[in-house]
Amino acid sequence: MTVRTLAHTSRSNSRKPRKGLLAYLDLYAQRRALAKLDQAQLRDIGVSRAEAEAEVARPPWDAPRHWHK
């Protein structure tokens, strides 16, 4: 599974969180990819099926708090 972050590099080479529609679309795509993982793949990343389903059910604007820095 490809891991994406909501940060990008600006001209000053500092990391800033993405905002707006692109961030929502990226998070939506990540959660859809998580939903497609089978039990062995989830076990490899240390996530239970219940945890994955709970994450997938979250709306795109409900991002983890550490992404809002």
Side-chain angles (χ1 to χ4, degrees), residues 3-58:
V3 176
R4 299 179 187 170
T5 64
L6 291 180
H8 69 282
T9 304
S10 68
R11 277 193 264 157
S12 66
N13 206 23
S14 65
R15 295 177 79 60
K16 296 179 182 179
R18 278 190 188 174
K19 295 182 179 165
L21 183 59
L22 290 178
Y24 295 145
L25 291 174
D26 192 42
L27 187 52
Y28 177 80
Q30 290 180 52
R31 289 179 175 156
R32 297 288 72 86
L34 180 63
K36 293 178 182 178
L37 296 180
D38 65 27
Q39 193 62 38
Q41 292 168 319
L42 289 172
R43 189 173 35 252
D44 285 346
I45 64 171
V47 176
S48 71
R49 174 60 61 194
E51 291 169 324
E53 289 174 357
E55 183 65 27
V56 169
R58 293 170 66 181

